[in-house]
Amino acid sequence: MTRFRRVLVSMAVPLLGLVGAVVAGSPAAAATDIRDQLEAAPGVTVLEEQPVAAPYRFFVLSITQPVDHLRPSAGTFQQRFTLLHRGTDRPTVLHTTGYNVPGYAFRSEPTRLVDGNQISVEQRYFTPSRPDPADWSKLTIWQAATDHHRLVAALKPIYSQKWISTGASKGGMTSIYHRRFYPSDVDGTVAYVAPQDVNNAEDSAYDRFFTKVGTAQCRAALDAVQVEALRRRAELVARYEAWAAANARTFTVVGSADRAFEFMVNGTTWAFWQYSLESDCVDVPAPTASSDDIWAWLDAIYGIDSNTDQGVNPYVPYYFQAAYQLGYPDVSLPHLAGLQHYRGQDRAQSYIPRDIVPRFQPFAMDDIDVWVKLFGRRLLFVYGQNDPWGAEPFRLGPGTRDSLSYTAAGYNHGSNISRLTPAESATATAAVQRWAGVSAPAALALAAPSYISSLDDRDPALDRRFNLR
């Protein structure tokens, strides 16, 4: 059977989507106060309520989830999520970072556009939403999608209006995976800056990206500072080791300060374009800059703590997923070839403890790609022109319906609808509001103030360190 036929056949097989699904009861619907309704929802526990600006209420909650949705009797864990409650008569936005859930109240862009409620979900296996003991083979896109499915089933009797799912970066990927396996759970999906690495063995798109992004002068400056940093390896690694000793940092997972340093230098150009703008090129140190200046720039752009055990361990679930199903970019960096000691080793597996050994599943992303192109409905993708993750994007296909894809000119991994041209932004906004069952005039009439500093001042990407490296 060909690879393509295997993917199509897998779509025809029932996915056991309702295995272990929550059966919602009537007591939640009958309660009056929203906290009472939440406490009556099956499997849901209200952990705390935090004060927020009216007319909202904000809750931190958990839901009991099976470790393995195919074998619900095999054990459970508590998955953390938050709720920004606007009203049961409003649409609901299902938001995820694909990593940890922030413990504070905020409004994502779709939540503001539809004046809705927002449920923000922590990805399984990110602490504290991790089974104990952790069976890493159950950290799959289907298991995580089924977590979301059960949460939606538990809360839809309370929030019965339209639902929109959303997320940025890995959160956008997670939202699309949920739609692939449970396409009717929500009425539309807004996926920001979400990569789709269909063929993990073929990453030339990233190499092409780095030969074209920005200006030739900026690209040359970034290459030059990487080369100079590796030429000063002995001095800078000694500084790294001294800093680690003074700050109780270790390198057990990556292997050594030297290896961690090289991986940091490898990633600085990627991190620069992911988070910076072309105007920031003026701050790139020249090869003649002092070691203090180069060190400070490496820290500002990549983060010297990122490759320590303390920096890596919170993100082991991501690296596992990348090595198991998602794929991980391999950038050739030819200008560094003669200076690297660990060439070809800067892969997802290098950031995972050695006792965890995922076996890559090459057809997982093929399946997602085929679903988007042949069966996707009401999907909105937003990318940034200068964001390296956009080099391998989700692509619409001949069977995709009522869907849009845009790229924000000159922008990075923080791209969103507001960064598009006025015409594109208006079209995208109208689509999201239509999917959510609200019109622009109705949304404005019902809304609280369109800008609420305590909810909207946060970084909309939420994740200066929630990155996909």
Side-chain angles (χ1 to χ4, degrees), residues 399-413:
T400 314
R401 298 290 181 266
D402 193 9
S403 298
L404 302 163
S405 183
Y406 294 112
T407 299
Y411 215 66
N412 59 17
H413 206 55

Side-chain angles (χ1 to χ4, degrees), residues 95 108-113 165-173 175-176 189-195 380-384 387 413-418 432 460:
H95 170 273
S108 66
E109 186 176 58
T111 304
R112 297 194 299 273
L113 292 178
S165 61
T166 191
S169 193
K170 185 169 180 286
M173 298 159 68
S175 295
I176 296 298
T189 298
V190 183
Y192 299 95
V193 295
L380 170 60
F381 297 101
V382 179
Y383 292 96
D387 176 19
H413 206 55
S415 298
N416 57 24
I417 292 171
S418 72
V432 173

